[in-house]
Amino acid sequence: MKVLDHIGIAVQSLERSRAFYEALGMTVEGGEEVASQKVRVAFLPVEGTRLELLEPTAPESPIAKFIEKRGEGLHHLCFRVDDVRAAMAGLREKGYTLLSEEPQPGAHGALVCFVHPKSSGGVLIELSQPGEGHP
Ligand code: ZN
């Protein structure tokens, strides 16, 4: 678990936020709608990792709720794992709380899970097992 796969940032508007990062010289490479999380995402590569901009697509989206409570901003860190089920089992065994029983479908065919922030010092942590054909 040594690769910071991406940094998730909750935004009201992908269009407005990407314009800012593009003004910094970054480029959006890949985006899609992740139905399971009710978000549209855009990825911007930066040295060694990526930013993931997350825009809610429905009021009940976890990202919509986050923005409502805390405003736009840093949302989660995602670490890449080889086997998300094994990582989940290991954390559960040590008494940490996960936000789902089973891995969820993430962007680009990845399997992901989230660790409850109360288990990780207030930082929402995502673990991601890349999908087939992931770069
Ligand atoms: Zn993420």
Side-chain angles (χ1 to χ4, degrees):
M1 204 184 290
K2 289 179 187 132
V3 176
L4 180 60
D5 188 83
H6 61 264
I7 299 166
I9 300 173
V11 304
Q12 293 277 16
S13 160
L14 273 190
E15 298 314 310
R16 197 176 58 223
S17 288
R18 72 179 277 177
F20 169 72
Y21 292 102
E22 284 168 350
L24 287 178
M26 298 181 198
T27 311
V28 170
E29 282 181 15
E32 66 180 273
E33 190 158 335
V34 182
S36 68
Q37 301 292 324
K38 295 191 168 65
V39 290
R40 283 204 308 143
V41 303
F43 285 99
L44 301 99
V46 294
E47 186 74 35
T49 188
R50 300 175 292 168
L51 302 184
E52 177 189 42
L53 305 179
L54 303 120
E55 176 196 77
T57 56
E60 69 274 21
S61 161
I63 295 299
K65 289 179 184 156
F66 175 89
I67 292 174
E68 205 179 283
K69 268 206 243 165
R70 300 173 63 171
E72 295 181 293
L74 281 178
H75 182 260
H76 66 270
L77 302 182
C78 177
F79 297 103
R80 201 177 300 162
V81 295
D82 294 331
D83 182 340
V84 73
R85 284 190 173 83
M88 292 171 80
L91 287 168
R92 270 203 205 97
E93 214 169 86
K94 294 183 171 74
Y96 297 114
T97 306
L98 307 175
L99 293 189
S100 63
E101 282 299 310
E102 288 292 317
Q104 307 291 309
H108 307 311
L111 280 177
V112 307
C113 83
F114 288 90
V115 181
H116 197 291
K118 81 177 181 208
S119 281
S120 52
V123 181
L124 181 60
I125 300 290
E126 177 182 17
L127 303 177
S128 174
Q129 173 185 333
E132 297 298 319
H134 187 274

